[in-house]
Amino acid sequence: MVVKVYGPAYASPKRVLVCLIEKQVEFETVDVDLFKGEHKEPEFLKLQPFGVLPVIQDGDYTLYESRAIIRYYAEKYRDQGTELLGKTIEERGLVEQWLEVEAYNFQPPIYKLVENILFAPILGVPSDAKAVQESDEKIAKVLDIYEERLSKAKYLAGDFFSLADLSHLAFGHYLVNQTGRGNLVRERKHVSAWWDDISNRPSWKKVLDQHKYPV
Amino acid sequence: MVVKVYGPAYASPKRVLVCLIEKQVEFETVDVDLFKGEHKEPEFLKLQPFGVLPVIQDGDYTLYESRAIIRYYAEKYRDQGTELLGKTIEERGLVEQWLEVEAYNFQPPIYKLVENILFAPILGVPSDAKAVQESDEKIAKVLDIYEERLSKAKYLAGDFFSLADLSHLAFGHYLVNQTGRGNLVRERKHVSAWWDDISNRPSWKKVLDQHKYPV
């Protein structure tokens, strides 16, 4: 049974792709064009009623929300590929903590940058300079906390690569490579080393190689 | 060893309290007064560098982010108290999916209502009528999707109570009881029955009885 992943061009679905590669799970992808509104069509809404990406189908099992999907596969294939949840319940607790930090503190301001710097020109809408400035300030503060954390442990949840780190790749890529904010990472020694480490994993390179970002 | 939970008066820490009661885990609480800025003091920031509630201490183990904490205790005490993660990996996947839906779709618009309707008068700042209206519209759309889901299963992740339902209590209470939006729940038959079911659990009544909301 091959897992179907919808929307591989976009950032959040890439969180799923890199996880499946780390877990050595075979998958195929189904394109969904957000710019054509395909995520709001009735057929898609049957799979994902909120009309957002990604969603997966694995036989008759359907699941959405990228961070739920990566937890599911990390658990289902615990003994296959890279261990992504830590070895103990306490390690997993920290993996969960940093997954939440990524979701509430890291991704949202980067998403604002992507909207205003990359998407606004394509959609022909004005960019909100205030939102960009506020996002830059938020990201700097968040990365200061990461710098402190990563001065004490090689990865976010401890001295092991986990879902917590992996979950940063999709929007970290936007930050470093597509919104011209690489300096926010490079100015912080431990964040910079951590980013080099995780973004050079063969799994992530394979995702980037096979599924271009739309912008 | 008794678990210490910081900030029991506020909504997100209540997510932790109700989980600990369901799992029959003994705990004590430590007050943190947000209106006095105690969450931004150096001692607190050592525990929670982002300066938000809750955080727990369990011996020398410190953990923050309420949904990470409830996952940790649901896993650690799997065989004690109420099973909150489902029985199979597939059930847990759906628990995770609906936990994410709660975090990104349910809580944020209710939080906006709380800020503008309950907190603004106390802080002496103007309420944003447009934000209130947008939030009402968002909540109505989200609850339409819940209504459809709950017409097919008794609880969000299936026919079993789980972390996904439990996680809705803290902000659901604000919606129904403190922002005058009970109608949004009552107008939807299955959502209304689900809310009555989960909000009448003895664990949640105990939380409300012992730890009043600040507003």
Side-chain angles (χ1 to χ4, degrees):
Chain A
M1 190 101 63
V2 176
V3 181
K4 269 191 210 176
V5 184
Y6 288 73
Y10 302 95
S12 294
K14 286 185 166 51
R15 196 177 276 127
V16 174
L17 302 183
V18 65
C19 175
L20 291 174
I21 295 171
E22 290 283 352
K23 298 307 288 180
Q24 299 169 4
V25 177
E26 227 185 311
F27 63 89
E28 57 187 40
T29 56
V30 183
D31 288 333
V32 180
D33 190 333
L34 301 189
F35 292 97
K36 287 188 186 155
E38 290 177 356
H39 56 311
K40 302 296 180 192
E41 287 176 8
E43 279 308 300
F44 186 80
L45 293 175
K46 276 185 203 162
L47 290 178
Q48 213 303 2
F50 295 93
V52 293
L53 292 170
V55 57
I56 63 101
Q57 283 185 296
D58 191 342
D60 58 5
Y61 189 63
T62 300
L63 197 64
Y64 51 81
E65 283 298 340
S66 62
R67 295 178 195 84
I69 298 168
I70 62 177
R71 285 176 174 109
Y72 170 70
Y73 283 107
E75 183 85 40
K76 183 172 177 181
Y77 297 103
R78 197 89 201 220
D79 298 324
Q80 180 178 312
T82 311
E83 169 59 69
L84 294 170
L85 296 169
K87 286 197 192 73
T88 64
I89 292 176
E90 280 64 38
E91 285 182 352
R92 175 154 190 181
L94 292 170
V95 172
E96 295 292 348
Q97 172 183 293
W98 287 99
L99 266 173
E100 299 282 297
V101 168
E102 185 270 323
Y104 309 130
N105 300 83
F106 183 82
Q107 169 169 335
I110 299 177
Y111 187 80
K112 279 267 169 223
L113 292 184
V114 170
E115 274 189 318
N116 283 286
I117 297 174
L118 302 177
F119 289 174
I122 293 177
L123 300 170
V125 298
S127 169
D128 180 342
K130 187 163 167 255
V132 169
Q133 194 195 328
E134 284 172 359
S135 298
D136 281 339
E137 289 166 6
K138 277 186 195 167
I139 296 164
K141 276 187 195 165
V142 167
L143 292 183
D144 282 343
I145 296 171
Y146 281 43
E147 180 67 6
E148 167 72 15
R149 169 61 184 164
L150 293 166
S151 73
K152 290 178 185 153
K154 190 171 176 197
Y155 297 100
L156 289 169
D159 286 322
F160 57 97
F161 177 74
S162 76
L163 282 190
D165 309 292
L166 175 149
S167 194
H168 285 76
L169 286 164
F171 279 84
H173 181 79
Y174 266 133
L175 183 72
V176 174
N177 300 106
Q178 281 150 283
T179 58
R181 264 62 180 172
N183 63 305
L184 290 175
V185 165
R186 296 304 167 208
E187 286 162 0
R188 292 168 174 86
K189 183 176 128 191
H190 296 97
V191 173
S192 183
W194 167 77
W195 177 254
D196 283 339
D197 181 313
I198 66 172
S199 64
N200 279 303
R201 291 182 75 88
S203 57
W204 181 241
K205 291 189 159 182
K206 195 170 172 184
V207 170
L208 289 181
D209 194 47
Q210 298 188 345
H211 302 281
K212 303 288 171 220
Y213 277 74
V215 190
Chain B
M1 191 101 62
V2 177
V3 181
K4 270 192 207 175
V5 184
Y6 287 74
Y10 302 95
S12 294
K14 285 185 167 53
R15 196 177 276 128
V16 174
L17 302 183
V18 66
C19 175
L20 291 174
I21 295 171
E22 290 282 352
K23 298 307 289 180
Q24 300 170 4
V25 177
E26 225 184 312
F27 64 89
E28 57 188 40
T29 56
V30 181
D31 289 332
V32 179
D33 191 333
L34 300 191
F35 292 97
K36 287 187 187 156
E38 290 176 357
H39 56 311
K40 301 296 180 191
E41 287 177 8
E43 279 309 301
F44 186 81
L45 293 175
K46 275 186 204 163
L47 290 178
Q48 213 303 2
F50 295 92
V52 293
L53 291 170
V55 57
I56 63 101
Q57 284 185 293
D58 192 343
D60 58 5
Y61 188 63
T62 301
L63 198 65
Y64 51 81
E65 283 298 339
S66 61
R67 296 177 194 86
I69 298 168
I70 63 177
R71 285 175 173 110
Y72 170 70
Y73 283 107
E75 183 84 39
K76 182 172 177 180
Y77 297 103
R78 196 91 201 218
D79 299 324
Q80 178 178 313
T82 312
E83 170 59 70
L84 294 169
L85 295 169
K87 286 196 191 74
T88 64
I89 292 176
E90 280 64 37
E91 285 183 353
R92 175 153 189 181
L94 292 170
V95 172
E96 296 292 348
Q97 172 184 294
W98 287 100
L99 266 173
E100 299 282 297
V101 168
E102 184 270 323
Y104 309 129
N105 300 84
F106 183 82
Q107 170 169 336
I110 300 178
Y111 188 81
K112 279 268 170 223
L113 292 184
V114 170
E115 273 188 320
N116 283 287
I117 297 174
L118 303 176
F119 290 173
I122 293 177
L123 299 170
V125 297
S127 169
D128 180 342
K130 186 162 166 256
V132 169
Q133 194 195 328
E134 284 172 0
S135 298
D136 282 339
E137 288 165 7
K138 278 185 194 168
I139 295 165
K141 276 187 197 166
V142 167
L143 292 183
D144 282 344
I145 296 171
Y146 280 44
E147 180 67 7
E148 166 72 14
R149 169 62 184 162
L150 293 166
S151 73
K152 290 177 185 154
K154 189 170 176 199
Y155 297 100
L156 289 169
D159 286 322
F160 58 96
F161 177 74
S162 76
L163 282 190
D165 308 293
L166 175 149
S167 195
H168 285 76
L169 287 164
F171 279 84
H173 181 80
Y174 266 133
L175 183 72
V176 174
N177 302 105
Q178 280 150 283
T179 58
R181 263 65 180 171
N183 63 307
L184 290 175
V185 165
R186 297 304 167 209
E187 286 162 1
R188 292 168 174 86
K189 184 176 128 190
H190 296 97
V191 173
S192 183
W194 166 77
W195 177 254
D196 283 340
D197 181 314
I198 67 172
S199 64
N200 279 303
R201 290 182 75 88
S203 57
W204 181 242
K205 292 190 160 182
K206 195 170 172 184
V207 170
L208 288 180
D209 194 48
Q210 298 188 345
H211 301 280
K212 302 286 171 222
Y213 277 73
V215 190

